[in-house]
Every structure is written in C-alpha cells, then in structure tokens.
C-alpha cells in the first residue's frame, strides 16, 4: 500500500501507459481525462482499497499524490 | 418485520419502443469516447420513443399483455398504481387516465407515485400493502419512464445512458404466497445528483408558460431548466457504498442466505456499478441477469425489463432479490418468489393510445 502502487493502479484505471504518471501529475489536465475516468477512479478506490471516494473528492484534488492522500486517509479512518 | 404477506406476483410484462439508438451512432462522443463509454457503462443500444408515444402507452401495452396471459377480466382489477417520473401531464395523475383506457372499474383505486430507479421495491411494498389492508384481490403495478423526453440530446452525461420502457406487474392476494421482504431508504441531501430543476413550482417560473431558456451548467453543458441533470460520479459513489447494505438487510429480513437466491436483479444504471455491487455480495455474473447492453438505463422500469429480457431464465419457480437505487436519493431492495413462467418476453411496440 504505497504511493507507487497507487500510481500504477491509477494509471491502469484511467487507461494511460504505465509509468506515464508521477505523484505531481495534474491528472485532470491530461488530454484523455473525462467523466468516465472519474468513475474508473472511484471503482478502483473501492475495489483495491475498500474506500468510497466521491466526485467532490476528485474535484478537490489536483495531483495523483492528492488522490493518494484522500484514499490513504479514508483507509486509515476505516480501520 | 419489513414484509408484505399474502401477496403473490402472478405475471411481469415489459414493453419498449421499436426505435433503436446505438452508442456507435452517437456523434456527440468521438469514436474513442464511444468505445470507452460502452466499456464502462455496458450500453450498446437503447430504445427511444417517437414523438407520439408516452410512458403510459408502454405501460398500457405491458398491462394488456399481463392481463391476457393471466386471463384476468379488467373488471376484477381493484387497484392500478403507476410509478413514473414522466407522466402524461402534471395533473391529473396518469394512473387515473390508464384506469379508463384499460377499462378498469370505477371502484378501482388509482394513483401515481413519483419515484425513479428505486420504483420496483417501493412499488411492490406500496401495492402489496394497499391490497392487503383494503382487501383488494387483484392489482396492477405499472412502472415506466420515457427519460429520452427529458434529456438534452447533446448532453453526453445523460442522453446516451437512458432508454424508454414501461412495465406491468400483476399482483394477487394469496394466503399461501411467501412474504415479500423489503428494505426501503431515502436521502434527500443527495437530491442534486439527478434532478430536473425547472418546471415545478419551486423553480419560480412564471405562473403561465414562460419562455424556457437554455442555461449553461457548471459542467459546461447547455440545458433547458426542464432537462434532467445527472451527476454520475455522485451516483456511482452512492450506489457502491450504500446499496450492498440494503440488499443484505432485505436478505437478512427474509431469513434466507444470499446463496438461497437464484438471481440478484439490479437497477441497470451502469455496468461498473453493478459489477461492484455483485462482487461485494458474492454473486457471480451468471446469477446477475442484465438488460443494460440492449436497453440502456430504463429508469424505473429497469428491474421488470431485466426480468423480461431474460424470460427464459424464469421458466421454473425462482427466488429473487432485487434492488433499485438512484434519483432522490432513494433506494430499496426486495426479496420475492416468482412462480414458473410468470415472466413474459419483452414486447416491441410503437402503439400509442
């Protein structure tokens, strides 16, 4: 459960090449980003981390690292 | 105990228009977006009404089919309950118009319920309760929507999702029928997730028909005030986090186990949502029939449409747990038994009455 794992899962969910994302990637600025990606990220957070991310969480985040902090803090709170 | 006792489901029929709208032909998405849309939602095509056909027409066709299958005379039907969010006119309730069009007696109880995706469990609970309490032997629960009539065609967050459909479930008092167990929930704090903001009295439109102007939403999409707005991410989070618990509560109330149910019937909103819910509950895909690929999200009618689109699975008696969830927010689940061959195949129709 590291940031590196999360980045890999994030890239798979939104169908971009493995290794093309960094913690600082502003994912909503990617040319391929759209509302379907939002659903894919919510599904990934649920399936791989057991937490419910909302549309608002994604709206509020800028970078992939921001999303990891949302997911990891929700995980910690659930424990 | 949350249950309706002594009410049997005798027949379920569903009707859809003949006109097919394919995801592959939706030009507001580019080809790659269409591919990804279809993969995520599971929707390849939907049925869309022509200008003259209403949800009431689709429900009426389904109702006639159900009555014909059972050999029920119209004058023996003591209640007609219509669940829709796309009635024929604001007033009077469309169910009352259908009482006349179906030739049901004036002693028939008729009223509308304004619910969408959660209609099936709510409808079974209300219809069954009214029958049991008032001693009504036979009732028709009609459920349907023409969502295409309230979505803007260029709104890619809504238009390519919805299909039109109507359904009829014939119910009969029967002391020997196993109880229908339900779990019904509401959360109005989520009302903005799916909303038609204009056209009602809260929108402060002029009291006579004023000009309806386009406005640009926060998502950049232009809509009329009486178009539907759908915030998919909010619905997605809501569905995967709160629906599994509702289904588990209905199953627990029934005294049965998840493995005792032949099928899990889910509102057909989106393939990713339903795959997630089924996985959480331990239902493999062969026990979760779908209709979303060919009918899209048929709103209130999605559970009956899914039953009818898979009628061959119901040749023998089946135990079903069904769950509807969405606009409101409103969600609920019901467990029930379907007698052998009670599900009619989907009917294609352009009839308008």
């Amino acid at each position: 459960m590291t940031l590196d794992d999360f980045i890999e899962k994030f890239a798979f969910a939104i169908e971009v090449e493995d290794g093309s994302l960094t913690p600082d990637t502003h994912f909503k600025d990617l040319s391929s980003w759209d509302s379907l990606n939002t659903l894919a990220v919510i599904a990934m957070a649920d399936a791989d981390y057991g937490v419910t991310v909302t549309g608002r969480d994604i709206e509020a985040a800028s970078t992939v690292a921001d999303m990891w902090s949302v997911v990891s803090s929700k995980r910690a709170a659930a424990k | 105990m949350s249950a309706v006792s002594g009410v049997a489901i005798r027949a379920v029929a569903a009707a859809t228009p003949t006109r097919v709208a394919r995801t592959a032909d939706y030009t507001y998405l580019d080809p790659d977006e269409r591919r990804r849309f279809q993969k995520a939602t599971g929707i390849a095509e939907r049925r869309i009404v022509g200008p003259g056909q209403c949800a009431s027409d689709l429900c009426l066709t389904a109702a006639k089919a159900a009555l014909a299958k059972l050999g029920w005379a119209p004058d023996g039907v003591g209640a007609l309950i219509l669940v829709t969010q796309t009635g024929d006119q604001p007033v009077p309730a469309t169910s009352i118009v259908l009482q006349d069009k179906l030739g049901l007696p004036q002693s028939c109880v008729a009223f509308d319920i304004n619910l969408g995706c959660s209609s099936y469990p709510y409808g079974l609970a209300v219809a069954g309760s009214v029958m049991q309490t008032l001693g009504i032997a036979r009732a028709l629960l009609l459920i349907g929507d023409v969502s295409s009539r309230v979505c803007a065609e260029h709104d890619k967050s809504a238009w390519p999702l919805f299909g039109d459909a109507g359904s009829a479930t014939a119910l009969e008092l029967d002391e020997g029928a196993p109880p229908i167990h339900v779990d019904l929930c509401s959360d109005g704090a989520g009302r903005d997730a799916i909303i038609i903001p204009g056209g009602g009295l809260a929108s402060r439109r002029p009291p006579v028909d004023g000009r309806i102007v386009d406005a640009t939403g926060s998502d950049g999409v232009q809509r009329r005030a009486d178009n539907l707005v759908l915030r998919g991410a909010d619905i997605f989070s809501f569905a995967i986090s709160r629906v599994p618990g509702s289904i588990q509560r209905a199953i627990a109330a029934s005294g049965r186990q998840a493995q005792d149910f032949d099928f899990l019937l889910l509102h057909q909103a989106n393939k990713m949502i339903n795959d997630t819910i089924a996985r959480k509950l331990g239902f493999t895909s062969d026990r979760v029939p779908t209709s979303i690929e060919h009918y899209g999200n048929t709103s209130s009618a999605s559970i009956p449409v899914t039953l009818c689109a898979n009628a061959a699975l119901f040749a023998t008696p089946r135990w079903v747990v069904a769950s509807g969830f969405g606009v409101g927010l409103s969600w609920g689940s019901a467990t029930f038994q379907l007698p052998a061959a009670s599900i009619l195949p989907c009917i294609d129709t352009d009839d308008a009455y």
Side-chain angles (χ1 to χ4, degrees):
Chain A
M1 291 303 161
T2 65
L3 175 58
D4 287 345
D5 290 334
F6 181 75
I7 292 172
E8 198 178 309
K9 290 184 164 74
F10 195 102
F12 182 77
I14 68 169
E15 298 189 46
V16 298
E17 229 167 282
D18 198 16
S20 68
L21 300 180
T22 73
D24 299 326
T25 303
H26 285 249
F27 56 91
K28 283 176 285 182
D29 295 339
L30 296 170
S31 61
S32 60
W33 179 263
D34 66 13
S35 63
L36 287 174
N37 288 151
T38 306
L39 304 190
V41 170
I42 295 170
M44 178 271 289
D46 178 82
D48 295 335
Y49 297 93
V51 298
T52 304
V53 167
T54 66
R56 222 154 281 135
D57 292 332
I58 296 176
E59 265 169 42
S62 301
T63 64
V64 178
D66 292 342
M67 276 317 300
W68 171 238
S69 73
V70 170
V71 169
S72 51
S73 64
K74 287 194 181 207
R75 247 180 94 80
K79 273 180 186 167
Chain B
M1 186 174 71
S2 293
V4 177
S5 298
V7 175
I9 296 175
R10 295 290 192 225
V12 181
T16 58
T18 62
R19 186 172 145 216
V20 176
R22 292 183 176 79
T23 298
D25 299 332
Y26 184 61
T27 51
Y28 292 97
L29 293 174
D30 69 36
D32 188 54
E33 288 175 322
R34 294 200 286 260
R35 178 191 65 77
R36 292 177 42 246
F37 172 88
Q38 190 163 329
K39 184 179 156 201
T41 63
I43 299 169
E45 59 189 28
R46 305 156 291 128
R47 301 298 182 88
I48 301 293
V49 288
Q53 199 177 29
C54 295
S56 61
D57 296 314
L58 295 166
C59 288
L60 199 150
T61 296
K64 284 183 167 179
L67 293 176
K69 176 189 162 59
L70 296 169
W72 284 7
D75 63 8
V77 176
L80 185 163
I81 297 168
L82 173 68
V83 193
T84 187
Q85 298 192 314
T86 49
D88 293 0
Q89 62 279 313
V91 173
T94 305
S95 51
I96 303 167
V97 178
L98 286 172
Q99 171 270 334
D100 178 51
K101 289 183 175 177
L102 275 164
L104 306 186
Q106 291 185 9
S107 58
C108 180
V109 171
F111 59 93
D112 287 8
I113 298 175
N114 179 348
L115 285 173
C117 322
S118 59
S119 290
Y120 209 64
Y122 268 89
L124 289 176
V126 174
S129 301
V130 168
M131 293 171 73
Q132 189 58 264
T133 307
L134 302 182
I136 295 171
R138 288 175 173 175
L140 286 173
L141 172 63
L142 307 187
I143 305 180
D145 273 304
V146 284
S147 305
S148 69
R149 300 291 288 275
V150 294
C151 292
E153 189 163 354
H154 59 267
D155 183 354
K156 55 191 184 184
S157 65
W159 175 266
L161 294 169
F162 290 106
D164 302 328
S167 71
T169 299
L171 300 166
E172 188 168 36
L173 286 184
D174 177 351
E175 279 180 20
I180 298 169
H181 287 88
V182 295
D183 176 77
L184 305 171
C185 303
S186 317
D187 180 8
R191 59 188 168 277
D192 288 334
I194 305 176
I195 188 167
I196 299 176
L201 297 180
S203 66
R204 301 183 198 289
R205 264 177 56 190
V208 292
D209 281 354
R211 208 169 134 252
I212 300 173
V213 292
D214 277 7
T216 305
S218 58
D219 55 2
V221 177
Q222 278 221 327
R223 296 182 188 88
R224 290 158 44 121
D226 56 353
N227 283 153
L228 181 133
V229 183
L230 183 140
R231 294 176 174 84
D234 293 347
I235 291 295
F236 196 98
S237 301
F238 149 69
I240 63 176
S241 61
R242 284 188 264 178
V243 174
S246 170
I247 296 170
Q248 282 166 338
R249 288 192 296 275
I251 289 174
S254 76
R256 303 166 68 88
Q257 308 285 322
Q259 62 266 25
D260 300 331
F261 289 89
D262 297 299
F263 298 109
L264 169 65
L265 268 290
L266 294 173
H267 168 57
Q268 304 284 296
N270 169 314
K271 182 175 183 302
M272 275 201 293
I273 290 177
N274 288 4
D275 288 352
T276 302
I277 294 171
R279 175 176 52 77
K280 287 187 172 190
L281 296 170
F283 278 81
T284 50
S285 60
D286 56 314
R287 289 168 68 208
V288 189
T290 70
S291 61
I292 196 163
E293 184 179 2
H294 298 296
Y295 295 97
N297 177 345
T298 44
S299 185
S300 57
S302 62
I303 289 169
V305 166
T306 304
L307 289 170
C308 295
N310 296 280
L313 295 177
F314 298 92
T316 54
R318 298 293 198 182
W319 271 98
V320 168
V321 55
S323 188
F325 44 86
V327 61
L329 302 168
S330 171
W331 67 105
S333 307
T335 66
F336 49 88
Q337 190 183 37
L338 293 170
S342 54
I343 308 297
L344 284 72
C346 280
I347 302 161
D348 289 354
T349 177
D350 290 327
D351 290 346
Y353 299 88

